[in-house]
Every structure is written in C-alpha cells, then in structure tokens.
Amino acid sequence: MLVVHSIKEVKDAVSAWRKEGLTVGLVPTMGYLHEGHASLVKKSSDENDRVVVSVFVNPIQFGPNEDYDKYPRDIESDSKLVEAAGGNLIFNPLNEEMYAPDFSSFVDTAGVTEGLCGAKRPGHFRGVCTVVTKLFNIVCPDRAYFGEKDAQQLAVIKRIVRDLNIPVEIRPCPIIREQDGLAKSSRNTYLNDRERKAALVLSRSLNKAHNAIEKGERNSDKLKAVITEEILNEPLAKIDYVEISDSLSLKPVDSIKKSVLVAIAVYIGKTRLIDNFTFEIK
Ligand code: AMP
C-alpha cells in the first residue's frame, strides 16, 4: 500500500493497472478514517481489482467559520486502516497540488443543493462537486464509493455524474454506526464525554420517527415534531434543521409517499452532526 502526494504518481499507478486490464475503484475521503470509511474501501475492494483512497481536507468546501483548521488529520493511522480494508493507493495531496494560485473553475448543481446542508452551508456543495470532479478526472475510476451518511452529498454527486455524463458508476454504502447508534464520523472526536452521550439524541430521534412511519404516520409536520421534541429535550443539542424530502429531488414533502429522506443536522455544543434515514413506502 502506497501513499502518494502528486497527481502524476496517481496517474502513473492507475495507467500501469489499466495496461494490465485491471478495474479501479475510488473512495474520496477527508481522512481521519474510521469503520465507516473502511466499509467503503472494503466494498470497493470487493468490486474492483485496485482501490484508490483520496485523503484530502478540501479547503473550498468549508465556510469561513467552519472547522477547516481544526479538522482532525492522521495519515499514518489512515494508511493502516486503508491497507487493512484492502486499499492499494492513498492519494494525499497538498492544497497546492489540487489548487493552482489562480484556480478559477468550479462545478456546481442546482436543485438538489438548495435545501438541507446546502441551505445552511453556502458554497459547500460547489466545493464538493469541484473536488470530486477533479478526483474523477485524476483517477478515472470505474466505480466511486460514497456513504449514505452524507445523503445529500450522494444525491448531488449522482446528479453531476448523470448531468455531465461523467463515466463512473456511483456506489452508495450504508451508514456505519457505533454500537449505541451514533453514526460514525471524524467529527465525533470533537465531543467531550457529556456531549458524546448527548449526541445519541440524533439516532434516537430518528428512530422515533422511523417507528412512527412504520405505525402509519404519513404527515411530515407530525413526524418532524416527533424528532424536534426529542431533540429539544436534550439541553446540549441545538437543531440546525429537521427535514423530510423526496429522496431523489430532495424537495421537502408534506406527506410521505414513495421514497423519502428524513435528514437532520444538530449542534451538540459547537459540533455540528448530521444523520438520516431513507424510508420507502412499498
Ligand atoms: P468524509 O471523510 O467525512 O468526507 O467521508 C468520506 C466518505 O465516507 C463519504 O462518502 C461519507 O459519506 C462516508 N462516510 C463517512 N462516515 C460514514 C459512516 N458512518 N458510514 C458510512 N459512510 C460514511
């Protein structure tokens, strides 16, 4: 397992594999990897001959008051995890390798970026679309792997791939959780003991809504109230959004028909966490 820092090294490795007729999977990440990321690498390794994992804290997807500077980084532990999960190459570029000083070209999409995190984090998805498009062009993978943990990101990437005819197959991967239900996230390391316990309110409130849908509740406002009430009972939690949307368009829905995304973003202290589930009415 190799860690490389330049685009040329990635291209050389991939073109050597291509000469052997091998298939290539890509797993884009920001590093500080955990079992959620490992599940993506494993799936990619099951489905492709070779796996590239990018580890890059992408500055252009962070807002001015967000956690870019303090985002956790540990490339040594990341390389061990990637190797154990079956990855073959880590691409860990410096900002200068990805962004020329006069960089001025961006990829963006409308509609699916308007609500949820897109509304709360202006410019975030433009940064994501741009870096992921660059990674697609650098690696030219057969398949790329994204977690359902970032449901809107997944929808956004599927949309640019479809709209711009990017020749890659997008493979969604289920949310990996801690035993007590908290969705694994590199940002969980920001939480102190009290906040870690309080953070369970995300999965707990979503479970309540899930149960309510299973029992037949179809009204979005009532379901959002179930979630909101649970979160308001947790003193360390502050709601950023609670939304129920069509899972393809991500437009808010008044009542549950077909497939919906129930998504929340909640501050636990200063740490913003997200979680979601998708429900399909059969
Ligand atoms: P990040 O490093 O947070 O940008 O995440 C990189 C990729 O890993 C994204 O596609 C995420 O959706 C995915 N991912 C992060 N956490 C999880 C998780 N708990 N379960 C599944 N996928 C995850």
Side-chain angles (χ1 to χ4, degrees), residues 28-31 33-34 36-37 39-40 71 145-150 153 173-177 183-186:
T29 82
M30 297 203 299
L33 305 179
H34 50 65
H37 300 108
S39 74
L40 273 56
Y71 197 86
Y145 295 77
F146 292 87
E148 288 168 351
K149 157 94 189 333
D150 298 272
Q153 170 173 277
C173 305
I175 301 178
I176 304 296
R177 297 177 180 278
K184 285 186 183 265
S185 163
S186 311

Side-chain angles (χ1 to χ4, degrees), residues 28-64:
T29 82
M30 297 203 299
Y32 216 73
L33 305 179
H34 50 65
E35 284 165 53
H37 300 108
S39 74
L40 273 56
V41 179
K42 281 186 195 131
K43 185 163 171 166
S44 178
S45 155
D46 288 345
E47 298 182 351
N48 302 276
D49 299 312
R50 295 290 181 270
V51 177
V52 178
V53 178
S54 60
V55 172
F56 180 57
V57 186
N58 176 35
I60 69 165
Q61 71 186 65
F62 286 78

Side-chain angles (χ1 to χ4, degrees), residues 1 6 9-10 27 34 43 57 59-61 79 88 98 104 114 148 262 268 276 278 282:
M1 221 279 307
S6 72
E9 286 166 298
V10 180
V27 182
H34 50 65
K43 185 163 171 166
V57 186
I60 69 165
Q61 71 186 65
S79 359
N88 302 96
M98 293 295 275
S104 59
E114 270 159 29
E148 288 168 351
V262 180
I268 303 292
N276 71 83
T278 298
K282 298 261 156 59

